[in-house]
């Protein structure tokens, strides 16, 4: 977007972003994940199985996931998150995790979450 010092223009641009956020969260269910290791590792652990049963991203009924990384919140539709996670299953990104390593998930780099694409 081009730079513009016009207040009315800037206000309109801001209102477009406000409407986009409202469209994401209005009347939607949101699953919030606080990944305490993400800032240190640069990755998010996205669980899809626990104790032999589908869980996490493969069982969620949420429309949107919100990742809390430090004091930053990143929203992503569940559909888009599944698109990012699915190709990572069965690769070197797959890991055991959760309580007593009873869950299976993938490590998704934060940068891939932000850009919406993986490097696989």
């Amino acid at each position: 977007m081009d730079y513009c010092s016009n207040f009315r223009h800037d206000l309109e641009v801001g209102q477009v972003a406000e409407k986009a956020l409202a469209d994401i969260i209005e009347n939607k269910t949101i699953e919030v994940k606080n990944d305490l290791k993400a800032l240190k590792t640069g990755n998010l652990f996205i669980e899809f199985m626990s104790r032999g049963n589908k869980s996490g991203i493969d069982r969620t009924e949420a429309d949107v996931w919100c990742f809390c990384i430090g004091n930053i919140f990143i929203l992503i539709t569940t559909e888009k998150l599944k698109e990012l996670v699915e190709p990572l299953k069965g690769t070197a990104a797959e890991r055991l995790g959760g309580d007593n390593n009873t869950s299976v998930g993938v490590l998704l780099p934060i940068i891939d979450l932000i850009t919406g694409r993986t490097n696989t």
Side-chain angles (χ1 to χ4, degrees):
M1 177 167 280
D2 295 330
Y3 170 77
C4 182
S5 62
N6 180 301
F7 172 77
R8 287 196 190 284
H9 178 269
D10 291 346
L11 178 62
E12 289 174 13
V13 169
Q15 288 172 331
V16 168
E18 288 170 6
K19 181 172 180 345
L21 178 59
D23 289 346
I24 291 170
I25 62 175
E26 269 185 5
N27 302 314
K28 301 281 187 351
T29 56
I30 302 174
E31 186 152 340
V32 179
K33 299 293 184 184
N34 189 8
D35 192 323
L36 301 175
K37 293 183 180 180
L39 277 178
K40 183 178 178 182
T41 67
N43 296 305
L44 295 158
F45 180 75
I46 313 297
E47 178 184 308
F48 62 86
M49 186 173 287
S50 182
R51 296 174 176 87
N53 297 307
K54 286 184 177 184
S55 64
I57 191 67
D58 281 356
R59 187 160 175 131
T60 188
E61 295 181 10
D63 300 303
V64 175
W65 279 39
C66 175
F67 291 95
C68 177
I69 305 167
N71 61 356
I72 296 170
F73 295 84
I74 302 173
L75 297 168
I76 186 169
T77 65
T78 300
E79 179 181 348
K80 182 60 182 177
L81 183 59
K82 286 180 177 184
E83 288 176 16
L84 295 173
V85 168
E86 201 58 39
L88 298 174
K89 291 179 181 178
T91 71
E94 191 171 300
R95 297 279 194 286
L96 293 176
D99 298 331
N100 299 316
N101 284 329
T102 57
S103 297
V104 181
V106 296
L107 294 179
L108 178 67
I110 296 169
I111 191 68
D112 290 356
L113 181 75
I114 293 169
T115 62
R117 60 183 179 272
T118 60
N119 293 319
T120 58

